[in-house]
Amino acid sequence: MEIIRVKDAAAGGKKAFEIIQQAMKDGIHTLGLATGSTPITLYQEMMASDLDFSEMTSVNLDEYVGLGGEDKQSYRYFMNENLFNQKPFKETFVPNGKAEDLIAECKRYDDVIATHPIDIQILGIGRNGHIGFNEPGTPLDSKTSVVDLTESTIEANKRFFDKIEDVPTKAVSMGIGSILQGKKMVLMAYGEDKADAIAGMVNGPVTTDLPASALQNHADVVVIVDDAAASKL
């Protein structure tokens, strides 16, 4: 696990972009992408660059159950606004949160991952150590599934909604096992509130109590952190 310390989120975005830029020169085809505030500086670097993504495929980690791509709080909308509208990809995959049969949607999404092996998986980390929406207790070999969001995750996400009652309580998320199929992991974390999770992920036991600790079992992981997030390493 390679730890890269950066000054702030802007510098972290530049570093993650450099990794993607070099990998594209080396011929990668598929990016696994994440939503939330953490990867925004990376997406800003991608949009400002002269890189052409029109032959690239993207596969997103997750989507809220009940929200369609036209909903401004959906992760499909987020990706369109923060990357895809400015930098079109050949294909972009986000789980369908409005699928009538969510179990079938999870199976379909794992088939997408199998058909489009992920070369670089971009990750953030939750304060409770979740990656994707894989909350503590999730089996470390899990596949894409419908997950119940914890109170802490709902609380963390309420800032994006008018009121907490509007925050979805379920999501379709790549499983930890699905995520670990990616060839290279690039996880970013900024701020003191992520310090405990980062310390547990890097130095703690591999345990379902901290889902991101499963990354210790992956052969190629880059962790990009500012001093605050790295303060307990």
Side-chain angles (χ1 to χ4, degrees), residues 146-181:
V146 179
V147 298
D148 294 313
L149 307 187
T150 63
E151 287 186 20
S152 65
T153 297
I154 292 170
E155 181 72 21
N157 289 342
K158 76 175 184 180
R159 68 187 186 277
F160 302 114
F161 293 83
D162 292 333
K163 53 186 185 295
I164 196 165
E165 292 79 13
D166 294 338
V167 184
T169 58
K170 294 178 182 291
V172 175
S173 177
M174 270 195 214
I176 298 170
S178 306
I179 291 169
L180 293 178
Q181 290 177 41

Side-chain angles (χ1 to χ4, degrees), residues 8 16 31 35 52 61 79 85 97 142 147 171 180 183 191 199 205 215 228:
D8 52 25
L31 296 176
T35 50
D52 179 9
L61 283 170
M79 291 306 307
N85 288 347
S142 58
V147 298
L180 293 178
K183 296 170 190 170
L215 294 174

Side-chain angles (χ1 to χ4, degrees), residues 83-195:
L83 184 60
F84 298 149
N85 288 347
Q86 290 81 0
K87 285 288 188 179
F89 280 59
K90 180 181 179 180
E91 291 183 284
T92 61
F93 295 97
V94 180
N96 178 9
K98 297 195 81 171
E100 290 187 14
D101 185 340
L102 289 171
I103 302 302
E105 173 60 12
C106 293
K107 174 65 169 64
R108 181 193 75 85
Y109 211 68
D110 273 327
D111 289 343
V112 167
I113 297 166
T115 306
H116 303 277
I118 292 169
D119 294 297
I120 296 179
Q121 176 65 62
I122 301 299
L123 296 168
I125 186 171
R127 284 175 285 188
N128 62 2
H130 73 233
I131 49 175
F133 271 130
N134 296 289
E135 303 285 10
T138 304
L140 300 185
D141 60 353
S142 58
K143 299 299 185 183
T144 302
S145 62
V146 179
V147 298
D148 294 313
L149 307 187
T150 63
E151 287 186 20
S152 65
T153 297
I154 292 170
E155 181 72 21
N157 289 342
K158 76 175 184 180
R159 68 187 186 277
F160 302 114
F161 293 83
D162 292 333
K163 53 186 185 295
I164 196 165
E165 292 79 13
D166 294 338
V167 184
T169 58
K170 294 178 182 291
V172 175
S173 177
M174 270 195 214
I176 298 170
S178 306
I179 291 169
L180 293 178
Q181 290 177 41
K183 296 170 190 170
K184 185 184 190 75
M185 306 282 122
V186 177
L187 184 144
M188 297 174 282
Y190 313 114
E192 190 175 0
D193 63 338
K194 301 294 178 70

Side-chain angles (χ1 to χ4, degrees), residues 199-213:
M201 179 189 79
V202 175
N203 294 322
V206 176
T207 170
T208 58
D209 292 339
L210 200 140
S213 66

Side-chain angles (χ1 to χ4, degrees), residues 39-95:
I40 283 179
T41 56
L42 165 60
Y43 298 154
Q44 289 170 342
E45 292 291 326
M46 292 169 71
M47 287 189 291
S49 77
D50 59 1
L51 287 185
D52 179 9
F53 296 92
S54 62
E55 293 301 315
M56 295 286 290
T57 296
S58 71
V59 183
N60 258 75
L61 283 170
D62 41 33
E63 179 60 282
Y64 287 123
V65 169
L67 298 189
E70 73 289 342
D71 191 299
K72 291 186 177 181
Q73 306 302 341
S74 74
Y75 285 166
R76 164 59 77 178
Y77 189 92
F78 175 98
M79 291 306 307
N80 289 345
E81 290 293 304
N82 288 285
L83 184 60
F84 298 149
N85 288 347
Q86 290 81 0
K87 285 288 188 179
F89 280 59
K90 180 181 179 180
E91 291 183 284
T92 61
F93 295 97
V94 180

